[in-house]
Amino acid sequence: MDKIIEIIHRIYGDKFTASHVDKLRCSVLEGAGRIIERRHSGWRESDVVLITYADQFSRVNEKTLKTFNRFYKKHLNASFPVVHFLPFYPWSSDDGFSVKNYVQIDTRYGDWKDVAEIKKSCRLMFDFVCNHISAQSDWFQGYLQGRPEYQDFFIALDPATDLSAVTRPRALPLLTPFTLASGEVKFIWTTFSPDQVDLNFANPNVLLAMVDVLMQYLERGADYIRLDAVGFMWKTPGTSCIHLENTHQLVKLFRAIVDVAAPGTLIITETNVPHKDNVSYLGKGDDEAHMVYQFPLPPLVLHAIRTQSVTTLRQWASVLPMRGNGKTTWFNFLASHDGIGLNPLRGIIDEPEIVALVDTLEKEGAKVNWKNNPDGSRSPYELNATYMDALTPPSWSDDERLARFILAHALLLTFPGVPAVYIQSVLGGRNDYDGVKRLGYNRAINRQKYDEDEIENLLAAPNSLRARTLEALTHLIAVRQRHRAFHPDSDFCISEKCNGVLEIIRGNAQDETIIALFNFTERSQALSLNEGCYQDLISEKLIDGEAITLRPWQSVWLCNN
């Protein structure tokens, strides 16, 4: 506990009293005593994460977690040993990210027994929505009613306060007026929406309440803890209020608590921001996050396929700090429940090129979300489309669509780190315009939910895009999981083999080396190889000679026989 108390005092000083310390010590140590399960330590080449909603699949008169478990065991168990459930708590908006109660399961989904049943077949990632809580939550309603235990749980400011320096992720007001039971109107800090009220971590009692939440997740068996929107946790008016030092200290604190209570549990930070800020959450390598989301990867792969040029992608990847130490790694993904973030491109690609990409996809049917800038202008911060539809113009054939999609995911599975695949990608999802119209927000385009019989029938058609996508992805994952060269910590070297062709070498001579080649162009490419006999692990074909010809959008994983 000494490290935990040291971090506490760095954050709060004398504000964190002896009474607070006693409560914290009790919460952590008593919770740790109830955790008897040993966590899987570290990461392996077999670790691939499925990102999904708890109500992704449904059946009449059945809790959705039971439906999910059946579908998962039938189609996904072998490919995805880790399942990231997006928030499955009672919620009021944003598809779960406006949490009303952190420690209950939404009754439509099931209960903690259903979660425990799923955990028998996989490891689980829980969302810790630590920056904000629903305006309909008991905590915030208690604040509005004047209950003393919730005073200072939230941040009320004079609306005349100069907040122009605050980084804004949305084109919405930062302060939202709420009327207290007394009739007084308070302007409350709401970074993301009026229904998502930011917590005041400057109040030690807020920290104690959130530590209790974290401990319950650990006791419920969370193997991964995802810290949602973590960069905004600490607010100091007059600053950017993002990535502040005390925010980093809070992440270090959560890491220290996890290390004491449930060693082996992994902390992942979700910060959709420029790369240098994102990687700062890895700290010194053993004191902050175990993994950070690799946010530049989705838009850079999209950019490479759309421009048929790998130069920018290669330049970015070639200077990535290589982890390889077993202490930290990347959390790689191409699609998620959110859109394709554009902020991570800034500083890598010039703004006119970002805008040109946005314009092209918007004309093809993608949706765009915008953010306000301090100078009063606005910028696109997110593209909304399924990754399948973002990669390929709508007029192209399904064969071409699938080829580009599998190329992108072969690259994802080759990159150093732990890969994660969103359920819509696994199922070959297309843009859900009906969902956007029905729900009224852009992100619904990539959040389609399925009746179990409906999706089973779609997958039963062997020549459908959905069935072919699932088959091709599960094959790629199975190959990756059999080869030590794809271990998250193995060596990584990237180069541009020729115009539009990327080469990645994984592994090492003592163990196993795989040469991965990716043709990001619509033309066939003839390439020279070092003399020898190779097997393409993807197609299982032997390549005997000094050359290989890649089809348009083809990827190969070559192992020297």
Side-chain angles (χ1 to χ4, degrees):
M1 289 291 296
D2 290 346
K3 183 174 182 180
I4 293 172
I5 302 306
E6 177 187 338
I7 298 170
I8 285 287
H9 285 306
R10 284 204 296 267
I11 300 171
Y12 294 100
D14 293 340
K15 285 183 65 177
F16 211 87
T17 66
S19 175
H20 290 131
V21 170
D22 288 343
K23 291 177 182 177
L24 178 69
R25 190 186 304 274
C26 180
S27 176
V28 174
L29 295 183
E30 288 188 3
R34 291 189 290 267
I35 298 171
I36 59 174
E37 177 197 12
R38 294 288 298 174
R39 301 297 200 264
H40 166 95
S41 183
W43 35 78
R44 305 168 185 165
E45 62 275 10
S46 58
D47 289 342
V48 183
V49 179
L50 175 70
I51 305 170
T52 186
Y53 285 98
D55 62 342
Q56 188 60 57
F57 308 110
S58 61
R59 178 174 287 278
V60 175
N61 296 325
E62 183 175 70
K63 300 298 186 181
T64 60
L65 285 169
K66 292 184 186 298
T67 314
F68 173 87
N69 198 20
R70 183 169 53 249
F71 187 92
Y72 171 75
K73 287 180 177 179
K74 180 177 179 180
H75 295 287
L76 306 173
N77 191 330
S79 301
F80 298 99
V82 183
V83 174
H84 169 204
F85 278 120
L86 295 159
F88 42 31
Y89 325 113
W91 56 278
S92 55
S93 64
D94 198 19
D95 275 342
F97 282 91
S98 293
V99 179
K100 294 167 66 174
N101 188 305
Y102 287 113
V103 295
Q104 293 179 0
I105 303 293
D106 191 303
T107 55
R108 294 168 295 180
Y109 308 156
D111 54 31
W112 283 112
K113 291 180 181 178
D114 295 309
V115 175
E117 187 64 27
I118 293 170
K119 185 170 168 58
K120 293 177 181 178
S121 303
C122 61
R123 284 169 283 137
L124 294 177
M125 183 191 301
F126 292 0
D127 262 291
F128 187 22
V129 186
C130 49
N131 179 72
H132 50 264
I133 194 168
S134 168
Q136 298 181 31
S137 65
D138 287 345
W139 290 8
F140 189 65
Q141 291 301 307
Y143 168 82
L144 294 179
Q145 293 160 14
R147 291 167 57 184
E149 64 267 36
Y150 294 117
Q151 297 315 294
D152 295 325
F153 255 55
F154 307 97
I155 302 169
L157 289 177
D158 184 331
T161 305
D162 182 4
L163 300 173
S164 59
V166 176
T167 297
R168 298 296 296 120
R170 299 284 186 273
L172 293 169
L174 179 60
L175 301 180
T176 299
F178 290 92
T179 302
L180 278 60
S182 64
E184 182 183 4
V185 175
K186 292 277 192 178
F187 286 80
I188 307 297
W189 198 299
T190 54
T191 295
F192 292 97
S193 81
D195 189 44
Q196 294 168 300
V197 186
D198 289 53
L199 293 162
N200 180 21
F201 275 93
N203 177 357
N205 292 319
V206 169
L207 177 74
L208 291 174
M210 294 303 279
V211 168
D212 284 344
V213 172
L214 175 60
M215 290 306 304
Q216 291 204 47
Y217 292 168
L218 297 177
E219 290 179 47
R220 296 292 187 180
D223 300 277
Y224 292 60
I225 297 289
R226 176 186 183 269
L227 302 182
D228 175 67
V230 67
F232 297 93
M233 275 200 301
W234 196 274
K235 282 80 171 174
T236 302
T239 73
S240 66
C241 296
I242 188 171
H243 316 311
L244 299 186
E245 175 57 27
N246 274 348
T247 292
H248 282 280
Q249 292 297 329
L250 286 170
V251 178
K252 291 174 190 283
L253 177 64
F254 295 152
R255 165 70 181 268
I257 290 171
V258 162
D259 286 347
V260 167
T265 307
L266 302 177
I267 295 286
I268 303 176
T269 50
E270 186 264 343
T271 50
N272 190 355
V273 293
H275 188 65
K276 66 179 180 62
D277 297 315
N278 188 27
V279 299
S280 69
Y281 286 89
L282 293 174
K284 296 178 181 178
D286 60 358
D287 64 339
E288 207 161 339
H290 296 88
M291 300 185 201
V292 298
Y293 273 70
Q294 190 75 280
F295 273 106
L297 192 61
L300 282 173
V301 171
L302 172 62
H303 174 268
I305 287 179
R306 283 296 190 150
T307 62
Q308 300 188 41
S309 170
V310 298
T311 300
T312 303
L313 175 61
R314 189 268 306 164
Q315 289 173 340
W316 166 78
S318 64
V319 296
L320 275 179
M322 290 300 104
R323 313 319 300 178
N325 55 12
K327 296 179 179 179
T328 61
T329 194
W330 309 111
F331 189 81
N332 297 319
F333 72 108
L334 294 176
S336 75
H337 61 290
D338 290 338
I340 301 166
L342 300 171
N343 285 343
L345 287 181
R346 293 184 164 97
I348 300 174
I349 294 176
D350 292 338
E351 193 68 19
E353 198 167 358
I354 295 174
V355 172
L357 179 65
V358 169
D359 287 346
T360 296
L361 269 75
E362 190 171 27
K363 289 174 183 175
E364 293 177 0
K367 304 295 183 181
V368 182
N369 282 330
W370 302 82
K371 70 181 182 75
N372 290 336
N373 299 318
D375 63 2
S377 64
R378 68 173 194 159
S379 302
Y381 78 84
E382 183 179 86
L383 282 164
N384 297 115
T386 66
Y387 210 72
M388 178 77 77
D389 279 330
L391 290 174
T392 307
S395 60
W396 285 36
S397 70
D398 279 354
D399 286 345
E400 294 166 313
R401 197 179 318 282
L402 183 60
R404 283 186 168 198
F405 183 85
I406 293 303
L407 169 72
H409 284 80
L411 181 74
L412 169 71
L413 294 167
T414 306
F415 241 68
V418 174
V421 187
Y422 182 44
I423 188 67
Q424 299 297 341
S425 295
V426 176
L427 300 176
R430 305 295 301 276
N431 287 343
D432 183 13
Y433 295 109
D434 288 341
V436 174
K437 184 177 180 180
R438 184 177 68 256
L439 297 171
Y441 52 87
N442 289 345
R443 285 178 172 177
I445 202 169
N446 192 28
R447 296 181 178 181
Q448 186 177 2
K449 309 292 175 64
Y450 302 96
D451 173 82
E452 185 183 22
D453 288 339
E454 171 197 9
I455 191 63
E456 289 286 7
N457 289 335
L458 291 169
L459 295 176
N463 295 321
S464 70
L465 181 61
R466 288 186 181 277
R468 293 167 64 196
T469 300
L470 177 61
E471 181 182 19
L473 268 181
T474 52
H475 170 67
L476 278 177
I477 291 169
V479 174
R480 173 195 162 93
Q481 290 173 327
R482 292 194 296 267
H483 290 274
R484 178 74 178 173
F486 291 121
H487 189 283
D489 294 337
S490 74
D491 292 345
F492 167 79
C493 179
I494 188 168
S495 62
E496 195 168 346
K497 189 76 171 175
C498 64
N499 188 25
V501 176
L502 202 62
E503 178 184 71
I504 294 177
I505 300 175
R506 295 296 312 276
N508 55 71
Q510 292 75 31
D511 193 355
E512 178 188 50
T513 299
I514 290 175
I515 301 170
L517 299 171
F518 306 90
N519 182 6
F520 277 75
T521 72
E522 59 189 357
R523 62 186 183 279
S524 295
Q525 300 260 30
L527 307 172
S528 61
L529 297 172
N530 292 331
E531 185 176 350
C533 183
Y534 299 87
Q535 182 184 33
D536 173 21
L537 301 175
I538 297 174
S539 68
E540 300 181 348
K541 292 181 179 178
L542 291 177
I543 299 166
D544 192 3
E546 299 178 0
I548 184 174
T549 298
L550 296 180
R551 299 187 306 275
W553 317 113
Q554 185 182 8
S555 53
V556 296
W557 288 338
L558 302 179
C559 188
N560 199 323
N561 284 352

